[in-house]
Amino acid sequence: MYVDDEDDFDLEDEVESEEPEESKKKEKKKENNKKDSDQNPKRNFLKKFIKIVVIIICIFLGSWWAAYSKTRSAHKKDNMMADEMEKMYAKGDYQAMTDYYFERMTDLGDKKYAKYKRIAELYDEYLTADEYIRDAYNKVVEGDNTGSGYAWEMKQLFRVILLCDMYREEGYPYGEEQGVTDIREKVVNYLQGVLLLDKISIEQVASMYLEAKDSDSIDKVMNLIDGFAAASISKVLE
């Protein structure tokens, strides 16, 4: 079969001529894009700036939401603990309230807990003094006439009374009047019933302790309490 070489030649020329044309179009498009890019630097900067701002806003909102959720959870927990202690306080169950407070004391730094902190510390000091005085009492009964520990713990009990009187002078700023009054009465009754002091002497020394402003005055109070301790031991041994 005869093939016309001339026709083949023309076809090849056409293909070759189309390829440079396509290349030119691509080159022209790149040049136009480059030209647009060069002519609009502000637009490119604005796009990048907007992207950065959006990313920053997203990060900020995520951090804010995490902090808000944490604060809300902590606030809810705080309110729950405060409500629980208030129920115990209202019932006069200072033992349970004191235990509850000291079990969670690391979490309770807010001023809203100042009322319960004062009561818990007063009651705990009273309980500690009672524990050591019972030990000292047993030693006296067993023949230890020195009554070691009596005077020291009696001073601690008078210190509880002093704090109660100081809170009274402050006007009970945290609404702790009922608890302070109850604990003071409990300590006075303990000094009367267990340590055999008379109420008039207790109140006189308590008043002197509250008014003591210098070391000499405080030493005088401590000496009186030492005398009470010695008298108490004598009565126990009778």
Side-chain angles (χ1 to χ4, degrees), residues 146-188:
T146 61
S148 175
Y150 246 71
W152 174 256
E153 298 308 328
M154 190 177 285
K155 289 171 184 175
Q156 291 302 101
L157 290 172
F158 272 100
R159 181 177 180 276
V160 173
I161 293 176
L162 172 66
L163 290 172
C164 290
D165 291 345
M166 288 173 66
Y167 298 155
R168 182 191 65 214
E169 294 288 302
E170 291 176 4
Y172 307 111
Y174 304 112
E176 72 274 29
E177 179 176 1
Q178 188 59 54
V180 170
T181 302
D182 289 347
I183 292 172
R184 189 186 192 283
E185 183 179 355
K186 186 179 286 289
V187 173
V188 170

CSV table of all heavy atoms in Angstrom, one decimal, residues 146-188:
chain,number,residue,atom,x,y,z
A,146,THR,N,4.3,13.8,140.7
A,146,THR,CA,4.7,15.1,140.0
A,146,THR,C,3.7,15.6,139.1
A,146,THR,O,3.6,16.8,138.8
A,146,THR,CB,6.0,14.9,139.2
A,146,THR,OG1,5.7,13.9,138.2
A,146,THR,CG2,7.1,14.3,140.1
A,147,GLY,N,2.8,14.7,138.7
A,147,GLY,CA,1.7,15.2,137.8
A,147,GLY,C,2.2,15.8,136.5
A,147,GLY,O,1.8,16.8,136.0
A,148,SER,N,3.3,15.1,135.9
A,148,SER,CA,3.9,15.6,134.7
A,148,SER,C,2.9,15.8,133.6
A,148,SER,O,2.1,14.8,133.3
A,148,SER,CB,5.0,14.6,134.3
A,148,SER,OG,5.6,15.0,133.1
A,149,GLY,N,2.8,16.9,133.0
A,149,GLY,CA,1.9,17.2,131.9
A,149,GLY,C,0.7,17.9,132.3
A,149,GLY,O,0.0,18.6,131.5
A,150,TYR,N,0.3,17.9,133.6
A,150,TYR,CA,-0.9,18.6,134.0
A,150,TYR,C,-0.8,20.1,133.8
A,150,TYR,O,-1.8,20.6,133.2
A,150,TYR,CB,-1.1,18.3,135.6
A,150,TYR,CG,-2.3,17.5,135.9
A,150,TYR,CD1,-2.3,16.1,135.6
A,150,TYR,CD2,-3.4,18.1,136.6
A,150,TYR,CE1,-3.4,15.4,136.0
A,150,TYR,CE2,-4.5,17.3,136.9
A,150,TYR,CZ,-4.5,16.0,136.6
A,150,TYR,OH,-5.6,15.2,136.9
A,151,ALA,N,0.2,20.7,134.3
A,151,ALA,CA,0.3,22.1,134.1
A,151,ALA,C,0.4,22.6,132.7
A,151,ALA,O,-0.3,23.5,132.3
A,151,ALA,CB,1.6,22.6,134.9
A,152,TRP,N,1.2,21.9,131.9
A,152,TRP,CA,1.3,22.3,130.5
A,152,TRP,C,-0.1,22.2,129.8
A,152,TRP,O,-0.5,23.1,129.0
A,152,TRP,CB,2.3,21.4,129.8
A,152,TRP,CG,2.4,21.6,128.3
A,152,TRP,CD1,1.9,20.8,127.3
A,152,TRP,CD2,3.0,22.7,127.6
A,152,TRP,NE1,2.1,21.4,126.1
A,152,TRP,CE2,2.8,22.5,126.3
A,152,TRP,CE3,3.6,23.9,128.1
A,152,TRP,CZ2,3.2,23.4,125.3
A,152,TRP,CZ3,4.1,24.8,127.1
A,152,TRP,CH2,3.9,24.6,125.8
A,153,GLU,N,-0.8,21.1,129.9
A,153,GLU,CA,-2.0,20.9,129.2
A,153,GLU,C,-3.1,21.8,129.8
A,153,GLU,O,-4.0,22.3,129.1
A,153,GLU,CB,-2.5,19.4,129.3
A,153,GLU,CG,-1.5,18.5,128.6
A,153,GLU,CD,-1.2,18.9,127.2
A,153,GLU,OE1,-2.1,19.5,126.5
A,153,GLU,OE2,-0.1,18.6,126.8
A,154,MET,N,-3.0,22.2,131.1
A,154,MET,CA,-4.0,23.1,131.7
A,154,MET,C,-3.7,24.5,131.0
A,154,MET,O,-4.7,25.2,130.7
A,154,MET,CB,-3.8,23.2,133.2
A,154,MET,CG,-4.9,24.0,133.9
A,154,MET,SD,-4.7,24.0,135.7
A,154,MET,CE,-5.2,22.4,136.1
A,155,LYS,N,-2.5,24.8,130.8
A,155,LYS,CA,-2.2,26.1,130.1
A,155,LYS,C,-2.8,26.1,128.6
A,155,LYS,O,-3.2,27.1,128.2
A,155,LYS,CB,-0.7,26.3,130.0
A,155,LYS,CG,-0.1,26.7,131.4
A,155,LYS,CD,1.5,26.7,131.3
A,155,LYS,CE,2.0,26.9,132.7
A,155,LYS,NZ,3.5,26.8,132.8
A,156,GLN,N,-2.7,24.9,128.0
A,156,GLN,CA,-3.3,24.8,126.7
A,156,GLN,C,-4.8,25.0,126.7
A,156,GLN,O,-5.4,25.7,125.8
A,156,GLN,CB,-3.0,23.4,126.1
A,156,GLN,CG,-1.6,23.2,125.7
A,156,GLN,CD,-1.0,24.2,124.7
A,156,GLN,OE1,-0.3,25.2,125.1
A,156,GLN,NE2,-1.3,24.0,123.5
A,157,LEU,N,-5.5,24.5,127.7
A,157,LEU,CA,-6.9,24.7,127.9
A,157,LEU,C,-7.2,26.2,128.1
A,157,LEU,O,-8.2,26.7,127.6
A,157,LEU,CB,-7.5,23.9,129.0
A,157,LEU,CG,-7.5,22.4,128.8
A,157,LEU,CD1,-7.9,21.6,130.0
A,157,LEU,CD2,-8.5,22.0,127.6
A,158,PHE,N,-6.4,26.9,128.9
A,158,PHE,CA,-6.6,28.3,129.1
A,158,PHE,C,-6.3,29.1,127.9
A,158,PHE,O,-6.9,30.1,127.6
A,158,PHE,CB,-5.7,28.8,130.3
A,158,PHE,CG,-6.4,28.7,131.6
A,158,PHE,CD1,-6.1,27.6,132.5
A,158,PHE,CD2,-7.4,29.6,132.0
A,158,PHE,CE1,-6.8,27.5,133.7
A,158,PHE,CE2,-8.0,29.5,133.3
A,158,PHE,CZ,-7.7,28.5,134.1
A,159,ARG,N,-5.4,28.6,127.1
A,159,ARG,CA,-5.1,29.2,125.8
A,159,ARG,C,-6.4,29.1,124.9
A,159,ARG,O,-6.7,30.1,124.1
A,159,ARG,CB,-3.9,28.5,125.1
A,159,ARG,CG,-3.6,29.2,123.7
A,159,ARG,CD,-2.4,28.6,123.1
A,159,ARG,NE,-2.1,29.2,121.8
A,159,ARG,CZ,-2.6,28.9,120.7
A,159,ARG,NH1,-3.5,27.9,120.6
A,159,ARG,NH2,-2.3,29.5,119.6
A,160,VAL,N,-7.1,28.0,124.9
A,160,VAL,CA,-8.3,27.9,124.1
A,160,VAL,C,-9.3,28.9,124.6
A,160,VAL,O,-10.0,29.6,123.8
A,160,VAL,CB,-8.9,26.4,124.3
A,160,VAL,CG1,-10.3,26.4,123.6
A,160,VAL,CG2,-8.0,25.4,123.6
A,161,ILE,N,-9.4,29.1,125.9
A,161,ILE,CA,-10.4,30.1,126.4
A,161,ILE,C,-9.9,31.5,126.0
A,161,ILE,O,-10.7,32.3,125.6
A,161,ILE,CB,-10.4,30.0,128.0
A,161,ILE,CG1,-11.1,28.7,128.4
A,161,ILE,CG2,-11.2,31.2,128.5
A,161,ILE,CD1,-11.1,28.5,129.9
A,162,LEU,N,-8.6,31.7,126.0
A,162,LEU,CA,-8.1,33.0,125.5
A,162,LEU,C,-8.5,33.3,124.1
A,162,LEU,O,-8.9,34.4,123.7
A,162,LEU,CB,-6.5,33.0,125.7
A,162,LEU,CG,-5.8,34.2,125.0
A,162,LEU,CD1,-6.2,35.5,125.8
A,162,LEU,CD2,-4.3,34.0,125.0
A,163,LEU,N,-8.3,32.3,123.2
A,163,LEU,CA,-8.6,32.5,121.8
A,163,LEU,C,-10.1,32.8,121.6
A,163,LEU,O,-10.6,33.6,120.8
A,163,LEU,CB,-8.2,31.2,121.0
A,163,LEU,CG,-6.7,31.0,120.8
A,163,LEU,CD1,-6.5,29.7,120.2
A,163,LEU,CD2,-6.1,32.1,120.0
A,164,CYS,N,-10.9,32.0,122.4
A,164,CYS,CA,-12.4,32.2,122.4
A,164,CYS,C,-12.7,33.7,122.7
A,164,CYS,O,-13.6,34.3,122.1
A,164,CYS,CB,-13.1,31.3,123.3
A,164,CYS,SG,-13.1,29.5,122.7
A,165,ASP,N,-12.1,34.2,123.8
A,165,ASP,CA,-12.3,35.6,124.2
A,165,ASP,C,-11.8,36.6,123.2
A,165,ASP,O,-12.4,37.6,123.0
A,165,ASP,CB,-11.6,35.8,125.6
A,165,ASP,CG,-12.3,35.0,126.7
A,165,ASP,OD1,-13.4,34.5,126.5
A,165,ASP,OD2,-11.7,34.9,127.8
A,166,MET,N,-10.7,36.3,122.5
A,166,MET,CA,-10.2,37.2,121.5
A,166,MET,C,-11.2,37.2,120.3
A,166,MET,O,-11.4,38.3,119.8
A,166,MET,CB,-8.8,36.7,121.0
A,166,MET,CG,-7.7,36.9,122.1
A,166,MET,SD,-6.1,36.1,121.6
A,166,MET,CE,-5.7,37.1,120.2
A,167,TYR,N,-11.7,36.1,119.9
A,167,TYR,CA,-12.7,36.1,118.8
A,167,TYR,C,-13.9,36.9,119.2
A,167,TYR,O,-14.5,37.5,118.4
A,167,TYR,CB,-13.0,34.6,118.4
A,167,TYR,CG,-11.9,33.8,117.9
A,167,TYR,CD1,-11.9,32.4,118.0
A,167,TYR,CD2,-10.7,34.5,117.4
A,167,TYR,CE1,-10.8,31.7,117.6
A,167,TYR,CE2,-9.6,33.7,117.0
A,167,TYR,CZ,-9.7,32.3,117.1
A,167,TYR,OH,-8.6,31.6,116.6
A,168,ARG,N,-14.3,36.8,120.5
A,168,ARG,CA,-15.4,37.6,121.0
A,168,ARG,C,-15.1,39.0,120.9
A,168,ARG,O,-16.0,39.8,120.4
A,168,ARG,CB,-15.8,37.2,122.4
A,168,ARG,CG,-17.0,37.9,123.0
A,168,ARG,CD,-17.1,37.7,124.5
A,168,ARG,NE,-15.9,38.3,125.2
A,168,ARG,CZ,-15.3,37.8,126.3
A,168,ARG,NH1,-15.8,36.7,126.8
A,168,ARG,NH2,-14.3,38.5,126.8
A,169,GLU,N,-13.9,39.4,121.3
A,169,GLU,CA,-13.5,40.8,121.2
A,169,GLU,C,-13.5,41.3,119.7
A,169,GLU,O,-13.8,42.5,119.4
A,169,GLU,CB,-12.1,41.0,121.8
A,169,GLU,CG,-12.0,40.8,123.3
A,169,GLU,CD,-12.7,41.9,124.1
A,169,GLU,OE1,-12.3,43.0,123.9
A,169,GLU,OE2,-13.6,41.5,124.8
A,170,GLU,N,-13.2,40.4,118.8
A,170,GLU,CA,-13.2,40.8,117.4
A,170,GLU,C,-14.6,40.9,116.8
A,170,GLU,O,-14.8,41.5,115.7
A,170,GLU,CB,-12.5,39.7,116.6
A,170,GLU,CG,-11.0,39.7,116.8
A,170,GLU,CD,-10.3,38.6,116.0
A,170,GLU,OE1,-11.0,37.8,115.3
A,170,GLU,OE2,-9.1,38.4,116.2
A,171,GLY,N,-15.6,40.4,117.5
A,171,GLY,CA,-17.0,40.5,117.1
A,171,GLY,C,-17.4,39.3,116.2
A,171,GLY,O,-18.3,39.4,115.4
A,172,TYR,N,-16.6,38.2,116.3
A,172,TYR,CA,-16.9,37.0,115.5
A,172,TYR,C,-17.1,37.3,114.0
A,172,TYR,O,-18.2,37.2,113.5
A,172,TYR,CB,-18.2,36.3,116.0
A,172,TYR,CG,-18.2,36.0,117.5
A,172,TYR,CD1,-19.0,36.7,118.4
A,172,TYR,CD2,-17.3,35.0,118.1
A,172,TYR,CE1,-19.0,36.4,119.8
A,172,TYR,CE2,-17.3,34.8,119.4
A,172,TYR,CZ,-18.2,35.5,120.3
A,172,TYR,OH,-18.2,35.2,121.6
A,173,PRO,N,-16.0,37.7,113.4
A,173,PRO,CA,-16.1,38.2,112.0
A,173,PRO,C,-16.5,37.1,111.0
A,173,PRO,O,-17.0,37.5,109.9
A,173,PRO,CB,-14.7,38.7,111.7
A,173,PRO,CG,-13.8,37.9,112.6
A,173,PRO,CD,-14.6,37.8,113.9
A,174,TYR,N,-16.4,35.9,111.3
A,174,TYR,CA,-16.8,34.8,110.3
A,174,TYR,C,-18.1,34.1,110.7
A,174,TYR,O,-18.4,33.1,110.1
A,174,TYR,CB,-15.6,33.8,110.2
A,174,TYR,CG,-14.3,34.4,109.9
A,174,TYR,CD1,-13.3,34.5,110.8
A,174,TYR,CD2,-14.1,35.0,108.6
A,174,TYR,CE1,-12.1,35.1,110.4
A,174,TYR,CE2,-12.9,35.6,108.3
A,174,TYR,CZ,-11.9,35.6,109.2
A,174,TYR,OH,-10.7,36.2,108.9
A,175,GLY,N,-18.8,34.7,111.6
A,175,GLY,CA,-20.1,34.1,112.0
A,175,GLY,C,-19.9,32.8,112.9
A,175,GLY,O,-20.7,32.0,112.9
A,176,GLU,N,-18.8,32.8,113.7
A,176,GLU,CA,-18.5,31.6,114.4
A,176,GLU,C,-18.9,31.7,115.9
A,176,GLU,O,-18.4,30.9,116.7
A,176,GLU,CB,-16.9,31.4,114.4
A,176,GLU,CG,-16.1,32.4,115.1
A,176,GLU,CD,-15.7,33.6,114.4
A,176,GLU,OE1,-16.5,34.1,113.5
A,176,GLU,OE2,-14.7,34.2,114.7
A,177,GLU,N,-19.8,32.6,116.2
A,177,GLU,CA,-20.1,32.9,117.6
A,177,GLU,C,-20.6,31.6,118.3
A,177,GLU,O,-20.2,31.3,119.5
A,177,GLU,CB,-21.2,34.0,117.7
A,177,GLU,CG,-21.6,34.3,119.1
A,177,GLU,CD,-22.6,35.5,119.2
A,177,GLU,OE1,-23.0,36.0,118.2
A,177,GLU,OE2,-23.0,35.8,120.3
A,178,GLN,N,-21.6,30.9,117.8
A,178,GLN,CA,-22.2,29.8,118.4
A,178,GLN,C,-21.1,28.7,118.8
A,178,GLN,O,-21.1,28.2,119.9
A,178,GLN,CB,-23.3,29.2,117.6
A,178,GLN,CG,-24.1,28.1,118.3
A,178,GLN,CD,-24.7,28.6,119.6
A,178,GLN,OE1,-25.5,29.6,119.6
A,178,GLN,NE2,-24.5,27.9,120.7
A,179,GLY,N,-20.3,28.4,117.8
A,179,GLY,CA,-19.3,27.4,118.0
A,179,GLY,C,-18.3,27.8,119.0
A,179,GLY,O,-17.9,27.0,119.9
A,180,VAL,N,-17.8,29.0,118.9
A,180,VAL,CA,-16.8,29.5,119.9
A,180,VAL,C,-17.4,29.5,121.3
A,180,VAL,O,-16.7,29.1,122.3
A,180,VAL,CB,-16.4,30.9,119.5
A,180,VAL,CG1,-15.5,31.6,120.7
A,180,VAL,CG2,-15.5,30.9,118.2
A,181,THR,N,-18.6,29.9,121.5
A,181,THR,CA,-19.3,30.0,122.8
A,181,THR,C,-19.4,28.6,123.3
A,181,THR,O,-19.2,28.3,124.5
A,181,THR,CB,-20.7,30.6,122.7
A,181,THR,OG1,-20.6,32.0,122.1
A,181,THR,CG2,-21.4,30.7,124.0
A,182,ASP,N,-19.8,27.6,122.5
A,182,ASP,CA,-20.0,26.2,122.9
A,182,ASP,C,-18.7,25.6,123.4
A,182,ASP,O,-18.6,24.9,124.4
A,182,ASP,CB,-20.6,25.4,121.8
A,182,ASP,CG,-22.1,25.7,121.5
A,182,ASP,OD1,-22.7,26.4,122.3
A,182,ASP,OD2,-22.6,25.3,120.4
A,183,ILE,N,-17.6,25.8,122.6
A,183,ILE,CA,-16.3,25.3,123.0
A,183,ILE,C,-15.8,25.9,124.2
A,183,ILE,O,-15.2,25.2,125.1
A,183,ILE,CB,-15.3,25.4,121.8
A,183,ILE,CG1,-15.8,24.5,120.6
A,183,ILE,CG2,-13.9,25.0,122.2
A,183,ILE,CD1,-15.0,24.7,119.3
A,184,ARG,N,-16.0,27.2,124.4
A,184,ARG,CA,-15.5,27.8,125.6
A,184,ARG,C,-16.2,27.2,126.8
A,184,ARG,O,-15.6,27.0,127.9
A,184,ARG,CB,-15.7,29.3,125.5
A,184,ARG,CG,-15.1,30.1,126.7
A,184,ARG,CD,-15.5,31.6,126.7
A,184,ARG,NE,-14.6,32.4,127.6
A,184,ARG,CZ,-14.8,32.4,128.9
A,184,ARG,NH1,-15.7,31.7,129.5
A,184,ARG,NH2,-13.9,33.2,129.6
A,185,GLU,N,-17.5,27.1,126.7
A,185,GLU,CA,-18.3,26.5,127.8
A,185,GLU,C,-17.8,25.1,128.1
A,185,GLU,O,-17.7,24.7,129.3
A,185,GLU,CB,-19.7,26.5,127.5
A,185,GLU,CG,-20.6,26.0,128.6
A,185,GLU,CD,-22.1,26.0,128.2
A,185,GLU,OE1,-22.5,26.5,127.1
A,185,GLU,OE2,-22.9,25.5,129.0
A,186,LYS,N,-17.5,24.3,127.1
A,186,LYS,CA,-17.0,22.9,127.2
A,186,LYS,C,-15.7,22.9,128.0
A,186,LYS,O,-15.5,22.1,128.9
A,186,LYS,CB,-16.9,22.3,125.8
A,186,LYS,CG,-16.6,20.8,125.9
A,186,LYS,CD,-16.5,20.2,124.5
A,186,LYS,CE,-17.9,20.1,123.8
A,186,LYS,NZ,-18.6,19.0,124.5
A,187,VAL,N,-14.8,23.8,127.6
A,187,VAL,CA,-13.5,23.9,128.3
A,187,VAL,C,-13.6,24.3,129.7
A,187,VAL,O,-13.0,23.7,130.6
A,187,VAL,CB,-12.5,24.8,127.5
A,187,VAL,CG1,-11.2,25.0,128.3
A,187,VAL,CG2,-12.2,24.3,126.1
A,188,VAL,N,-14.5,25.3,130.0
A,188,VAL,CA,-14.7,25.7,131.4
A,188,VAL,C,-15.3,24.6,132.2
A,188,VAL,O,-14.8,24.3,133.4
A,188,VAL,CB,-15.6,26.9,131.5
A,188,VAL,CG1,-16.0,27.3,132.9
A,188,VAL,CG2,-14.9,28.2,130.8
